[in-house]
Each structure stands twice: as C-alpha cells, then as structure tokens.
Amino acid sequence: MTTTMPTTWTKDAIFEALGLTDMNSGVSDGAFFPHPGGPELVSEIPATGERLASVQQGDDADYDAMMATATKAFETWRMMPAPLRGEIVRQLGDAFRQHKEPLGALISLEMGKIYSEGLGEVQEMIDICDFAVGLSRQLYGLSMHSERPGHRMYEQWHPLGPVAVISAFNFPMAVWAWNAMLAAVCGDVTVWKPSSKVPLCAVAVQKITDEIMARHALKGIFTLIVGRGKDVGERINNDPRIPLISFTGSGRMGRHVGECAAKRFGRTILELGGNNAIIVMDDANLDLALRAIAFGAAGTAGQRCTTTRRLFLQKGIAKQLLERLVKAYGTLPMGDPLEPGTLIGPLIDAGAVKDFEAAVARAVDEGGTVLAGGKAVAGPGHFVQPTIIHCPKQLAITCEETFAPILYVMEFDQLDEAIEVHNAVPQGLSSAIFTTNLLSAERFLGPNGSDCGIANVNIGTSGAEIGGAFGGEKETGGGRESGSDAWKAYMRRQTCTINHSTSLPLAQGVKFDI
Ligand code: NAD
C-alpha cells in the first residue's frame, strides 16, 4: 500500500482556495451564522483518521431562523421569471467551474474518493447547472381540447415551496446540486442538511453559492444547516412548511423519512440503497466487461449507490473472466486518494470497515469462497482490500447492500435464470448486461427483464450521466432526480379551464338549470 502524501493538493492549499478555516460555521441562510448554537462536529480524513477541521452545528433556534429567511425568500423567488432564475444558476455553474480543482480535492480529502472522481463529481455539478439553465426556458405544460364549446384547457407548473435536500456522505456535493439547481429554476428555495460525515464539503459549496447570491442581493434561496439527524433531520421530516424532501441515503433512514413526510402529506424523492448487478453472457466482449466490473465493483471503494455488488457469469466464460478479474484486483493501487495513480481510496470510517468485515465473514459462513481480498488493511486510515467472493447461489448476504468493495460472483446456464436471480433482491437501482447478441440485450431490457431504474448494455452499473432521470425501484425508493422530466417533482401542477363563451355548459352533459 502506498502511503506518501499528495503531491499537488495539501489540506492548507485546499482550505486557502476555498476560504475554509479550522473552525467553520455550519449554518447559512445566505450569510453564515457567526455562532450556531449546536455542538461542534469534527470532520475526519478517512485516509489517515486525522482531524480535518470542525464545524459548528445548528440547533433548533438556528433552524427556525434559517427557515424564516427561506420561507420569506420563496415569496420573491417564485415570482421571478424562470429564465432569470436560470441566469443566476448559470453564474453558479461558472463559479463551480472556477473552483473545480479545490472542490474536487476537498471531496477526496474529506470523503476519500480518488481525485479524478472528486473532479468528476464537481463536473456533475457544473453539468447540472448547464442542464438547469436550458430547462429554465422549457418548463412546459400541455394544453388540451375542452369538450365544452368556447372553453380552453391547459396545465401549468408552479413552484412548490422550500425543498429540503438531505444528502448522503458519498456524493457530498453533487447530490445537493442535482436537487438544488433544478429546484432553483423551478422557483423553489432549498434547505440543505448534508451528511455529518462530510460537513466541510457542504460549507465550501455554500460559501461559493452565498457569494454569487449576494451579488444579486438575494438571501435565503439556498440555505444550509449542518446538524444531527435526530435534531435537524427530525425538524425537517416533520415540518409542514417543507412540501418536498429529497432524501439520499440508506434504506433504513429513507423509510423513516418517507413515513414522517407521508403522515403530513409531504412529498418525497427517495434515493436509497442499491444492490446492482452485471450479467456477462458467453458472447460478451470480455475486455469491456472486465474494465466495467473492476470500476463498478472496486472503484470509489465500493461506496457508490450504483456500485456493482453482484456479478452473474454465464458458465462458458466464467472461469477465464474470473481469473482475469482476480489478477486485475491484485494490481489495483490503494492509498492516498489525492495521490496521482491511486485507484482505491479508503472507506469513510471505522464503522464501515467493521461492516465490511462482518459481511465477508457472513458470506463465508453462508457458503461463499473468497477469491480476492477479504481483509481490512492495518495501519492508519480506513482501508479494506477490494474483495471477490464466489457464491454457489444467491445467499442472504448477497440480497443486502454492504457499502464496501465486495463483489459476489454467481454462475448461470441460461439468461432467463440469471434475470430471475438478478431481480430477486429488495433493491432496484442499476443493472447491466454484457452481450453482443441483440436478442439477449432486448430480453434484459424488456418488461420481464431487469426490474431496475437503470438498465445498461455493454457499460457497467456505475457512473450515470445527468441527462437521464436517475433513481431506482422497490426499496431504492422510486425517486427520480437530475435529467429528463425529473423537474416535475419540484413543482405543483395546475389544470386550468377558461370559459370564453357566454354560456356555462357543464362537463359530461350534466344539466343543472336554475
Ligand atoms: P445515511 O442513511 O446514514 O444518511 C443519509 C442522511 O440522513 C445523512 O445526511 C444523515 O445525517 C441523515 N439523517 C440521519 N438521521 C436522520 C433523521 N432522523 N432524519 C433525517 N435525516 C437523517 O446514509 P449514508 O451512509 O450517508 O449514505 C450511504 C447510503 O446512501 C447507501 O445506502 C447508498 O446506497 C445510499 N445512496 C443512494 C443514492 C441514490 O441515488 N440512490 C445515492 C447516494 C447514496
């Protein structure tokens, strides 16, 4: 394992470039609160276990003050023409572009993904800004033909209100941007509660955002509160002023947030855990499959919602592909995520390492055989070996998401059989098939094929583009974010009928003459 320090970005250089300090306020309603009332939160560097910096969390009073600014800001923001809102989002995108490198480096430092992926995450923020700018002129409603003479019918989309974004640790910036940029052009204001494991990333993004908004004398459009789930999280879950919560995180927490919101008729966009699989057919291009599997399963140290966790190999190619995969796993450079050349960074914390160890032990207990990795790495930081476990069949553990680089491999004879096992898990996020046979590809994409929100052919499960709607089925939560028509979730639909005649005919021919 390589342990040398980064050659390019140091912690000091990142802090200087982003205006961060050793102790940062974690609450902003457009301007950072000088003294939030919540407890201090220490953020750690997962690659070393060292302290990174502290963030002062918000308390109840801070939440109320922030919400007061946000709800007031909504009154004016919703009246601004959408293309003008889009122009402000364009400027945000430019600001993220200017800060792309230090932001990417901060993601690597605080979350632990490799620098290239950190940069990719910031690029995703920039891309979604561009997408949202175009969208600001395309918030289309339909018009319908009325059955009544002299009547016109159409639907229009109005802003919804303050939207809460509760984000997971593994995409500490992009998840906010996916939601906040669309919400902004739709006329909503956003309240962001980031994961307590990566608060500094949120503070850095908020600082840049505040600066752009201040240029327009706008406050409260994008607000931030770092706080504990049981305090701030629960306030959001149960706040009737928040018509929509976009929650990204574990299935367990998402279920709770969904139940709280449903009780008050609030809406949710739930982006929860995945248990993604790749099916490789005998006729597949194995070079492509190999790279996609390695990136999907070991990349980001297995900490993507779209990480490849199960691999189904048709028996004709199983042995040779597995041998190549095990060999490739042996060469993956592990170490400091900021160091060029590193491909495998650390897990987020010691708890994640324990979960990894427990899952490997359970898999072996249930009949699996470890072919590569399987162990935590001793020393500073939270590193584990990327792991391949051969399983005789679907096991109880392979139906669960463990947020670590563990790949369960199973073999099959016929595609029908593989698809059945593929779908026999509670989650339904991302899926892929490698084949050069059109019939197999279409079988996989058909109504009785993959039951996931994302289904790919000859590319892996990981690394979606922002242009498509992103999300999954079943216990993944059913939410959709980002591209396509995902914007509709951030608005309320209004159906309007206008009578421009001099009579009042009733629909369905009903008579009620007085
Ligand atoms: P998590 O569920 O532990 O935390 C998610 C968020 O919930 C954090 O911001 C946390 O502070 C907050 N929270 C905690 N208690 C709360 C409460 N009582 N009320 C409201 N919010 C509360 O998840 P995590 O470990 O940060 O992220 C990993 C999980 O996220 C994985 O399961 C992964 O698959 C999932 N994920 C899904 C997607 C997707 O798009 N489907 C994307 C990224 C991550």
Side-chain angles (χ1 to χ4, degrees):
M1 179 183 148
T2 336
T3 48
T4 44
M5 284 303 288
T7 46
T8 39
W9 282 104
T10 60
K11 171 183 154 181
D12 289 349
I14 295 170
F15 277 31
E16 196 186 324
L18 297 171
L20 300 169
T21 59
D22 193 54
M23 170 59 92
N24 305 270
S25 166
V27 185
S28 170
D29 64 358
F32 276 90
F33 291 18
H35 304 292
E40 179 184 337
L41 173 66
V42 176
S43 171
E44 290 180 357
I45 301 172
T48 60
E50 291 164 347
R51 176 182 180 282
L52 175 60
S54 288
V55 174
Q56 199 68 43
Q57 300 184 94
D59 64 5
D60 254 13
D62 297 318
Y63 179 80
D64 286 329
M66 182 203 64
M67 275 304 290
T69 317
T71 46
K72 189 157 168 272
F74 177 61
E75 303 299 320
T76 45
W77 186 245
R78 68 177 167 183
M79 299 309 291
M80 186 186 279
L84 297 189
R85 297 192 294 251
E87 166 54 22
I88 293 173
V89 167
R90 189 189 62 73
Q91 293 174 24
L92 283 172
D94 282 349
F96 297 141
R97 256 186 198 93
Q98 279 159 19
H99 293 86
K100 179 174 170 180
E101 295 206 349
L103 285 174
L106 179 62
I107 294 173
S108 289
L109 192 64
E110 192 179 37
M111 183 272 157
K113 64 177 72 172
I114 59 171
Y115 184 42
S116 154
E117 289 190 61
L119 291 176
E121 175 160 354
V122 184
Q123 187 59 47
E124 233 176 301
M125 298 172 73
I126 297 164
D127 292 345
I128 198 74
C129 288
D130 288 351
F131 181 89
V133 175
L135 186 64
S136 71
R137 292 181 187 271
Q138 301 175 74
L139 302 169
Y140 301 135
L142 297 171
S143 76
M144 302 89 183
H145 288 266
S146 169
E147 68 188 49
R148 289 171 278 187
H151 283 56
R152 185 167 73 82
M153 261 176 95
Y154 74 104
E155 64 184 18
Q156 57 181 351
W157 294 85
H158 284 313
L160 205 55
V163 171
V165 179
I166 302 180
S167 52
F169 81 84
N170 64 329
F171 276 87
M173 296 184 189
V175 164
W176 168 79
W178 284 6
N179 286 281
M181 296 306 107
L182 291 203
V185 295
C186 289
D188 302 326
V189 300
T190 45
V191 173
W192 184 14
K193 196 208 91 55
S195 161
S196 303
K197 294 173 184 172
V198 284
L200 220 55
C201 282
V203 169
V205 167
Q206 183 73 25
K207 271 186 193 294
I208 294 168
T209 305
D210 284 355
E211 214 177 288
I212 300 298
M213 300 312 281
R215 281 187 208 157
H216 298 275
L218 285 166
K219 226 181 151 201
I221 312 300
F222 303 102
T223 58
L224 169 74
I225 183 157
V226 178
R228 292 187 295 204
K230 65 182 167 70
D231 306 332
V232 170
E234 291 303 328
R235 286 295 306 269
I236 291 172
N237 297 345
N238 298 298
D239 192 335
R241 291 170 295 185
I242 296 181
L244 172 68
I245 303 176
S246 177
F247 177 88
T248 305
S250 58
R252 186 183 63 83
M253 197 49 71
R255 190 184 296 274
H256 170 68
V257 171
E259 282 171 4
C260 292
K263 260 189 208 145
R264 59 176 178 82
F265 295 103
R267 294 192 209 165
T268 48
I269 298 173
L270 296 177
E271 300 284 351
L272 314 178
N275 191 353
N276 319 292
I278 294 180
I279 296 175
V280 185
M281 303 297 290
D282 282 346
D283 56 50
N285 178 331
L286 296 189
D287 295 338
L288 294 190
L290 183 74
R291 282 186 53 209
I293 296 162
F295 173 64
T300 334
Q303 299 172 110
R304 284 192 189 223
C305 51
T306 52
T307 288
T308 309
R309 307 203 181 277
R310 296 175 299 143
L311 178 63
F312 298 102
L313 301 179
Q314 200 164 20
K315 284 193 173 141
I317 48 87
K319 189 164 178 290
Q320 59 156 311
L321 187 58
L322 254 182
E323 275 170 13
R324 287 180 68 183
L325 196 60
V326 169
K327 199 165 156 213
Y329 264 49
T331 66
L332 295 173
M334 181 191 290
D336 192 309
L338 273 164
E339 189 182 334
T342 298
L343 290 182
I344 309 294
L347 293 185
I348 187 69
D349 56 21
V353 176
K354 277 207 177 96
D355 290 347
F356 163 85
E357 288 178 317
V360 172
R362 257 187 70 194
V364 170
D365 215 39
E366 291 176 17
T369 308
V370 177
L371 300 183
K375 298 240 171 330
V377 178
H382 311 298
F383 290 88
V384 300
Q385 297 172 331
T387 296
I388 301 173
I389 301 181
H390 190 273
C391 304
K393 58 180 172 53
Q394 186 110 290
L395 309 172
I397 188 72
T398 67
C399 297
E400 293 176 21
E401 179 197 52
T402 303
F403 224 52
I406 306 174
L407 180 66
Y408 304 111
V409 184
M410 287 159 257
E411 295 179 31
F412 68 93
D413 286 307
Q414 298 301 322
L415 179 56
D416 285 356
E417 175 200 328
I419 289 176
E420 194 182 323
V421 186
H422 171 279
N423 290 347
V425 291
Q427 312 81 357
L429 182 51
S430 187
S431 60
I433 188 169
F434 278 78
T435 181
T436 50
N437 181 313
L438 179 68
L439 302 187
S440 299
E442 290 295 336
R443 165 74 179 89
F444 181 71
L445 297 174
N448 61 349
S450 161
D451 63 359
C452 292
I454 297 167
N456 296 332
V457 176
N458 294 328
I459 64 163
T461 60
S462 208
E465 295 180 29
I466 61 111
F470 181 89
E473 304 300 334
K474 302 192 289 185
E475 292 191 9
T476 300
R480 289 297 185 277
E481 278 174 2
S482 199
S484 185
D485 64 351
W487 62 269
K488 289 179 176 167
Y490 303 85
M491 302 198 83
R492 63 186 169 86
R493 185 196 309 243
Q494 190 169 61
T495 304
C496 308
T497 310
I498 297 156
N499 177 2
H500 53 90
S501 75
T502 50
S503 58
L504 192 71
L506 299 177
Q508 295 89 41
V510 172
K511 297 282 174 222
F512 197 85
D513 294 328
I514 51 170

